[in-house]
Amino acid sequence: ATEGILRVNPDELVRAQYTEAAHAGAPKASTEAAEVPEWARQPAHTQDGEALVLEASAGNLPEVEQASALGITNVGMYRTELLFLTDALPPSRDALVQHYASVVGAAHGGRVTFRLLSVDSSLGIRYLHPQKERNPSLGRCGIRALLAQPHLLRRQLQAISIAGHGADVRIAVPFVLDCADLRRVREVLFEERMELRRTGERFQAAIPVGVVLETPASLLGVRDLAAEADFLLLNLDGLQQHVLAVDREDPELAKALQSLHPYVLRALAKACEVAAGAGRELAVFGASAQAADNLPLLIGCGLRRFVLPPAAMQEFLETADE
């Protein structure tokens, strides 16, 4: 109802996304201090006073509203997959514009970072992947899939530009290998802005474009990416999987991902050092990033900005203060 959309017979994946948001049990969105829970009003910091920055991770409108109800209006990463999972055909530009505009509105003036569509062939989106690949996580996923279907990339970039008119929005490019991926997205964004200007539509002219670090190549080239990207997002779950070459779908092998490997920590520390030297904002997201045992290690690596689902905020703050 909050999106003004009727979904007929949604599949299990779509229902799970909305059920997760509903079960969080947050109150209606409000930025009034009187309605913000006491634990959410305190500044985020470690026990020794080191300041931390918390932003919301969301994949649907209810999660953005839940974050706003906690006084957190910056959406550090909005996952844009939902509308692409609901129907057999890709969503129209108008549907995307309406959805993204609702997200921007629910953020109440906060900054919203839209991560471009990031799916692999295991999800069975036929117009992106006619058949399942032998190794989906190493196939056409993230920006690879969008560059293979450029009309979808163009549609999404146009929708974000229109919905972000007059707002503070950013674009995060998933699964980049090197600066070539970033440059190509910027080229397409420039072309779509020219098209919107030609047709006389209102749009946000200047949108920062950043990258998601989750491949070994992006870590090895983090200095180059930091020099060209406007900001950096670190997908800790994906990074661990690829650096350690561990299949998260294998129950036995996945146990290796429950704690952070020393080599992963070494890579994180390097990324933090490079980002700081380049003056680039670096934030981390993923289930591994909110685990209590990992938090001291991440802070020790130099990470200070965390992107979390609203339901995980309270436990994270309590852990950080211990």
Side-chain angles (χ1 to χ4, degrees), residues 249-274:
E249 301 302 318
D250 186 309
E252 289 300 317
L253 290 177
K255 292 179 181 178
L257 302 178
Q258 292 176 2
S259 59
L260 294 176
H261 194 281
Y263 292 169
V264 173
L265 291 173
R266 188 181 300 175
L268 295 182
K270 184 64 175 179
C272 290
E273 176 188 335
V274 169

Side-chain angles (χ1 to χ4, degrees), residues 30-42:
S30 173
T31 54
E32 297 180 12
E35 296 189 27
V36 175
E38 180 63 32
W39 59 265
R41 299 181 200 174
Q42 307 302 320

Side-chain angles (χ1 to χ4, degrees), residues 177-188:
L177 294 184
D178 52 34
C179 292
D181 291 332
L182 175 62
R183 291 169 189 162
R184 182 55 186 146
V185 171
R186 280 194 165 134
E187 289 170 1
V188 176

Side-chain angles (χ1 to χ4, degrees), residues 11 18 20 39 43 51 61 81-82 96 98 145 166 177 180 182 198 210 243 296 301 311 319:
D11 62 24
Y18 281 100
E20 180 181 355
W39 59 265
L61 196 55
E81 288 74 47
L82 184 59
L96 291 175
Q98 180 181 356
L177 294 184
L182 175 62
R198 185 187 67 81
V243 169
C301 287
T319 300

Side-chain angles (χ1 to χ4, degrees), residues 149-191:
Q149 300 283 351
H151 64 288
L152 294 179
L153 174 60
R154 293 179 182 276
R155 184 178 302 178
Q156 199 169 20
L157 292 176
Q158 272 206 18
I160 295 172
S161 298
I162 295 171
H165 175 68
D168 190 357
V169 298
R170 306 190 304 182
I171 293 171
V173 185
F175 214 77
V176 297
L177 294 184
D178 52 34
C179 292
D181 291 332
L182 175 62
R183 291 169 189 162
R184 182 55 186 146
V185 171
R186 280 194 165 134
E187 289 170 1
V188 176
L189 180 60
F190 175 81
E191 292 167 1

Side-chain angles (χ1 to χ4, degrees), residues 73-318:
T73 55
N74 277 3
V75 180
M77 183 185 67
Y78 187 80
R79 304 181 302 275
T80 60
E81 288 74 47
L82 184 59
L83 291 192
F84 291 88
L85 298 172
T86 55
D87 297 302
L89 297 175
S92 66
R93 192 197 74 171
D94 289 345
L96 291 175
V97 169
Q98 180 181 356
H99 183 72
Y100 298 161
S102 297
V103 171
V104 170
H108 298 288
R111 186 179 67 188
V112 179
T113 300
F114 290 97
R115 184 184 68 179
L116 296 177
L117 179 65
S118 184
V119 296
D120 59 40
S121 64
S122 66
L123 294 179
I125 302 178
R126 297 299 181 187
Y127 55 81
L128 269 176
H129 306 99
Q131 57 188 11
K132 185 176 179 179
E133 297 165 315
R134 291 187 177 181
N135 195 335
S137 65
L138 298 182
R140 286 187 174 178
C141 48
I143 192 58
R144 289 180 185 174
L146 286 173
L147 290 175
Q149 300 283 351
H151 64 288
L152 294 179
L153 174 60
R154 293 179 182 276
R155 184 178 302 178
Q156 199 169 20
L157 292 176
Q158 272 206 18
I160 295 172
S161 298
I162 295 171
H165 175 68
D168 190 357
V169 298
R170 306 190 304 182
I171 293 171
V173 185
F175 214 77
V176 297
L177 294 184
D178 52 34
C179 292
D181 291 332
L182 175 62
R183 291 169 189 162
R184 182 55 186 146
V185 171
R186 280 194 165 134
E187 289 170 1
V188 176
L189 180 60
F190 175 81
E191 292 167 1
E192 294 313 302
R193 283 202 300 257
M194 293 299 100
E195 176 63 19
L196 291 173
R197 184 172 287 114
R198 185 187 67 81
T199 57
E201 297 190 67
R202 298 195 309 169
F203 63 95
Q204 184 69 357
I207 300 179
V209 181
V211 298
V212 181
L213 304 175
E214 52 195 326
T215 65
S218 67
L219 275 184
L220 292 171
V222 66
R223 192 174 301 278
D224 296 332
L225 288 168
E228 294 198 25
D230 294 313
F231 62 94
L232 306 171
L233 266 175
L234 204 154
N235 177 358
L236 190 53
D237 296 339
L239 187 63
Q240 276 237 104
Q241 173 183 246
H242 291 112
V243 169
L244 302 181
V246 170
D247 184 359
R248 281 189 287 187
E249 301 302 318
D250 186 309
E252 289 300 317
L253 290 177
K255 292 179 181 178
L257 302 178
Q258 292 176 2
S259 59
L260 294 176
H261 194 281
Y263 292 169
V264 173
L265 291 173
R266 188 181 300 175
L268 295 182
K270 184 64 175 179
C272 290
E273 176 188 335
V274 169
R280 292 293 184 266
E281 179 185 296
L282 172 63
V284 62
F285 70 91
S288 302
Q290 62 197 57
D293 291 343
N294 293 337
L295 183 54
L297 300 173
L298 297 177
I299 293 174
C301 287
L303 288 161
R304 296 294 183 270
R305 188 175 294 267
F306 295 81
V307 179
L308 308 168
M313 295 280 185
Q314 183 174 7
E315 184 177 353
F316 180 90
L317 286 171
E318 292 171 350

Side-chain angles (χ1 to χ4, degrees), residues 5-50:
I5 297 174
L6 173 65
R7 307 191 186 283
V8 180
N9 296 326
D11 62 24
E12 290 297 327
L13 184 59
V14 175
R15 277 189 279 180
Q17 290 225 16
Y18 281 100
T19 301
E20 180 181 355
H23 283 175
K28 292 183 179 180
S30 173
T31 54
E32 297 180 12
E35 296 189 27
V36 175
E38 180 63 32
W39 59 265
R41 299 181 200 174
Q42 307 302 320
H45 57 77
T46 61
Q47 192 175 40
D48 61 353
E50 190 75 27

